[in-house]
Amino acid sequence: MSVLEGIPIDMSIVLGSTSLPIRQVLKMGRGAMIPLDCGHSDPTLVYVNNQLVAKGKVLVDGEHMSLEITEVVQRSR
């Protein structure tokens, strides 16, 4: 497995998304709220190299956040 340890991957953890006009983004200040297209119970998505590989839920313990994987997504052929 040591051969694989040096290979970089691009990983994204996606809580939700939204579409905003740039003028609205430029008006935002510290503490601005951005509504997302998901609900509290919707899964968090895990992408590796732009491919969905898993779903999970965010866990918060004090100042620490982690992601619990609840489902590994099967690759489509």
Side-chain angles (χ1 to χ4, degrees):
M1 289 296 279
S2 63
V3 174
L4 299 177
E5 290 178 8
I7 299 173
I9 62 168
D10 179 34
M11 180 181 282
S12 300
I13 310 299
V14 180
L15 300 172
S17 63
T18 193
S19 179
L20 297 172
I22 190 69
R23 70 179 174 277
Q24 187 174 349
V25 174
L26 294 173
K27 289 180 183 178
M28 287 182 181
R30 185 179 196 139
M33 301 290 277
I34 300 171
L36 301 175
D37 64 352
C38 61
H40 175 55
S41 61
D42 290 340
T44 299
L45 305 177
V46 180
Y47 289 88
V48 173
N49 295 336
N50 294 319
Q51 280 197 331
L52 179 63
V53 296
K55 296 178 182 180
K57 62 181 180 178
V58 174
L59 303 174
V60 179
D61 182 20
E63 293 186 16
H64 299 288
M65 292 179 65
S66 60
L67 182 73
E68 177 183 3
I69 301 296
T70 57
E71 176 185 350
V72 175
V73 176
Q74 298 297 320
R75 288 178 41 165
S76 59
R77 296 179 184 231

